[in-house]
């Protein structure tokens, strides 16, 4: 038994007829919409030619007066082209140069060129309108449909308007120029033995292609520059976030360790005293409860920065006491470094010790990368209000077998982030002898202030 199913397609609603159009129809519709937008809508809108930028590599080397005058270079160039068009229109036709009609033809040819300064699209239509008028004034001219002045005028208008708009507008202007040339050759060109429509179309096509290529290249350069700026900004943000994540992890380890010790000591303290009073037991119990609550909250807030593949270090975090081993490793890598300690050495908060160690470590790494073969000096000053660090390296000897390997500058960013989180101050820049200097101050509260 065979079952046959007949499917009848429903007729489209009256309002959905556009959806059933062919791709060719939609392409033509979009093209006509672009033509209307580029050359018909607000065709004579006021759009003055902007001034030239003076921050270019050539213009900014000029003296002040010439640099300010260079702003009007495009306007002067258009004015010179208009003067050239005036001369071509007045002297290049079949009329004598001193004739009033010859002067009128020259003025009509120069007018569209000047109009490109304020109304570029309107200047194109004005140039098309002037062309047959100039041809009629030069009734005995041998060239058709563009007299010499009209030829220069229309070509100049096409180039200037294409520079001021976009490639699609240039394409539509060329198409309309070709349509005008074809119409004039077929309908009105019978009495002329020579037509210059071919030279006009070839010359204008080549000129508009060059202008369009310049537009595309300039747009591509702007997009690449914008993308490079965004990439550099994102890279800097990512480096900053990575450094903050690392610092948060380290602070999590340091603070969690101390809070755990406080909780354990508060729990064990009552057992170290024989027959402790109830008030003391309650006080230690409150201390332990607060420490455990703070530890839980700390782990809840800071624990989210740990990635799933992050493993806590087995060894304790480094401090300034471990600088000697760091300096020994740096010396083995080829950097001649000395350490100078001033002030009374004392134990500092672990966060300060860790940040100071990391800053010195990164500064010496930068010295190895940027100034191979140079000598460095690490100065550590224990002062009343905190800790001072100064790491300075001399210039790299020339010549040297090991070439510098500049990085992306993220080390300085990481150091500044550490110093900022500790409310410290940092300066980094070239030294007087050609080397590089990093100076840091990390504030440390007094004992009384800590107890308060």
């Amino acid at each position: 038994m065979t079952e046959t199913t007949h499917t009848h397609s429903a007729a489209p609603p009256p309002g959905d007829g556009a959806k059933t159009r062919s791709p060719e129809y939609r392409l033509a519709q979009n093209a006509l919409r672009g033509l209307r937008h580029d050359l018909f809508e607000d065709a004579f809108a006021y759009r003055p030619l902007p001034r030239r930028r003076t921050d270019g590599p050539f213009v900014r080397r000029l003296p002040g007066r010439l640099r300010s005058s260079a702003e009007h270079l495009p306007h002067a160039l258009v004015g010179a082209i208009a003067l050239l068009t005036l001369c071509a229109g007045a002297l290049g036709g079949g009329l004598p140069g001193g004739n009033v009609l010859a002067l009128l033809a020259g003025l009509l040819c120069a007018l569209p060129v000047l109009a490109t300064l304020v109304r570029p699209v309107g200047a194109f239509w004005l140039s098309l309108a002037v062309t047959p008028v100039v041809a009629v004034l030069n009734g005995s001219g041998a060239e058709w449909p563009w007299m010499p002045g009209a030829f220069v005028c229309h070509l100049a208008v096409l180039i200037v308007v294409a520079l001021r708009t976009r490639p699609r507008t240039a394409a539509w202007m060329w198409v309309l120029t070709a349509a005008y040339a074809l119409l004039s050759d077929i309908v009105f060109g019978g009495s002329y033995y020579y037509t210059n429509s071919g030279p006009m179309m070839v010359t204008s096509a080549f000129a508009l292609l060059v202008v369009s290529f310049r537009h595309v290249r300039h747009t591509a350069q702007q997009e690449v520059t914008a993308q490079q700026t965004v990439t550099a900004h994102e890279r800097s943000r990512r480096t900053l976030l990575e450094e903050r994540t690392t610092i948060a992890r380290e602070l999590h380890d340091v603070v969690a360790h101390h809070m755990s010790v406080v909780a354990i000591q508060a729990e064990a303290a009552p057992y170290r005293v024989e027959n402790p009073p109830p008030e003391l037991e309650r006080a230690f119990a409150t201390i332990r409860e607060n420490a455990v609550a703070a530890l839980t909250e700390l782990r809840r807030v800071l624990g989210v920065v740990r990635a799933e593949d992050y493993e806590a270090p087995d060894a304790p975090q480094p401090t300034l006491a471990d600088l000697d081993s760091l300096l020994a490793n740096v010396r083995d890598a080829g950097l001649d470094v000395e350490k100078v300690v001033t002030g009374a050495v004392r134990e500092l908060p672990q966060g300060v010790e860790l940040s100071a160690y990391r800053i010195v470590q990164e500064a010496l790494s930068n010295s190895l990368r940027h100034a191979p073969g140079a000598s460095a000096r690490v100065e550590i000053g224990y002062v009343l209000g905190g800790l001072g660090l100064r790491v300075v390296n001399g210039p790299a000897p020339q010549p040297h077998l090991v070439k510098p390997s500049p990085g992306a500058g993220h080390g300085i960013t990481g150091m500044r982030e550490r110093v900022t989180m500790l409310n410290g101050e940092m300066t980094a820049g070239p030294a007087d002898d050609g080397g590089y200097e990093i100076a840091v101050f990390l504030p440390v509260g007094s004992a009384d202030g800590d107890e308060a």
Side-chain angles (χ1 to χ4, degrees):
M1 181 177 180
T2 303
E3 181 178 353
T4 304
T5 304
H6 297 279
T7 303
H8 298 278
S9 58
D16 295 341
K19 298 182 180 178
T20 62
R21 301 291 188 180
S22 64
E24 292 79 5
Y25 178 84
R26 291 197 297 269
L27 181 63
Q29 190 178 30
N30 292 334
L32 292 177
R33 188 181 297 114
L35 171 62
R36 184 174 65 252
H37 179 269
D38 291 342
L39 294 179
F40 287 93
E41 292 181 358
D42 295 331
F44 288 88
Y46 181 71
R47 298 167 187 168
L49 179 66
R51 296 182 180 182
R52 177 187 173 89
R53 296 175 57 183
T54 59
D55 56 351
F58 175 75
V59 178
R60 62 187 178 192
R61 294 191 180 96
L62 298 176
R65 180 173 298 179
L66 289 179
R67 191 186 308 117
S68 60
S69 301
E71 296 180 351
H72 303 283
L73 182 60
H75 305 78
L77 184 59
V78 173
I81 297 175
L83 181 60
L84 176 64
T85 307
L86 173 65
C87 296
L91 304 177
L95 298 172
N99 196 325
V100 177
L101 292 180
L103 180 60
L104 179 60
L107 292 175
L108 289 177
C109 293
L111 182 60
V113 179
L114 293 176
T116 59
L117 294 173
V118 289
R119 306 182 192 276
V121 178
F124 166 74
W125 292 112
L126 186 60
S127 177
L128 280 182
V130 162
T131 298
V133 176
V134 174
V136 172
L137 291 177
N138 291 271
S140 60
E143 296 180 349
W144 176 267
W146 280 279
M147 297 298 133
F151 191 97
V152 177
C153 167
H154 195 67
L155 188 61
V157 168
L158 288 177
I159 295 175
V160 175
V161 176
L163 286 172
R164 296 200 56 192
T165 54
R166 53 181 175 175
R168 191 179 72 177
T169 306
W172 279 122
M173 289 191 302
W174 189 88
V175 170
L176 292 179
T177 301
Y180 171 78
L182 181 63
L183 180 64
S184 61
D185 288 345
I186 294 176
V187 179
F188 303 105
S191 60
Y192 291 86
Y193 61 86
Y194 174 75
T195 173
N196 55 6
S197 297
M200 166 60 77
M201 302 317 301
V202 173
T203 306
S204 61
F206 179 76
L208 294 179
L209 280 176
V210 173
V211 172
S212 299
F213 176 76
R214 177 184 176 275
H215 269 295
V216 172
R217 183 173 178 270
H218 182 66
T219 303
Q221 287 179 342
Q222 286 183 330
E223 292 178 354
V224 170
T225 302
Q227 187 62 36
Q228 289 176 346
T229 303
V230 172
T231 302
H233 180 68
E234 291 297 329
R235 186 185 300 115
S236 177
R237 285 189 57 191
R238 184 170 61 251
T239 303
L240 204 60
L241 291 175
E242 290 175 355
E243 189 65 27
R244 287 181 177 178
T245 301
T246 303
I247 296 172
R249 287 170 178 167
E250 293 173 349
L251 288 176
H252 177 271
D253 295 336
V254 172
V255 179
H257 168 73
H258 287 298
M259 295 301 294
S260 300
V261 171
V262 170
I264 294 173
Q265 289 179 346
E267 185 177 8
Y271 299 99
R272 297 179 180 273
V273 180
E274 185 177 358
N275 298 323
E279 294 82 2
L280 184 61
E281 291 183 353
R282 286 195 299 271
F284 279 113
T286 302
I287 293 174
R288 182 182 181 279
E289 291 175 358
N290 291 334
V292 172
L295 184 60
T296 303
E297 184 68 17
L298 177 68
R299 284 174 176 166
R300 185 182 67 82
V301 174
L302 295 181
V304 296
V305 302
R306 291 187 183 276
E308 293 181 358
D309 57 348
Y310 175 75
E311 297 180 359
D314 296 332
Q317 296 293 335
T319 62
L320 290 176
D322 301 312
L323 271 184
D324 291 335
S325 60
L326 173 64
L327 298 183
N329 293 333
V330 173
R331 292 189 186 101
D332 293 338
L335 182 65
D336 183 14
V337 58
E338 62 172 333
K339 182 181 76 170
V340 177
V341 180
T342 58
V345 179
R346 66 183 186 275
E347 185 177 357
L348 300 175
Q350 189 166 356
V352 176
E353 293 261 355
L354 175 61
S355 295
Y357 179 90
R358 296 300 188 197
I359 291 172
V360 174
Q361 184 183 39
E362 183 62 35
L364 295 179
S365 299
N366 288 343
S367 300
L368 283 172
R369 286 196 302 266
H370 297 276
S375 59
R377 179 184 177 91
V378 178
E379 299 177 1
I380 304 174
Y382 291 87
V383 296
L384 184 61
L387 178 71
L389 297 174
R390 182 174 178 267
V391 182
V392 58
N393 63 268
Q398 298 294 335
H400 196 266
L401 296 178
V402 181
K403 299 299 182 182
S405 57
H410 296 161
I412 298 295
T413 303
M415 284 188 266
R416 291 191 186 279
E417 185 66 18
R418 289 181 179 273
V419 173
T420 301
M421 292 189 68
L422 294 175
N423 296 322
E425 298 178 359
M426 172 179 167
T427 58
D432 295 336
D433 59 353
Y436 202 82
E437 178 181 353
I438 295 175
V440 174
F441 176 76
L442 301 178
V444 178
S446 62
D448 295 339
D450 293 342
E451 291 176 0

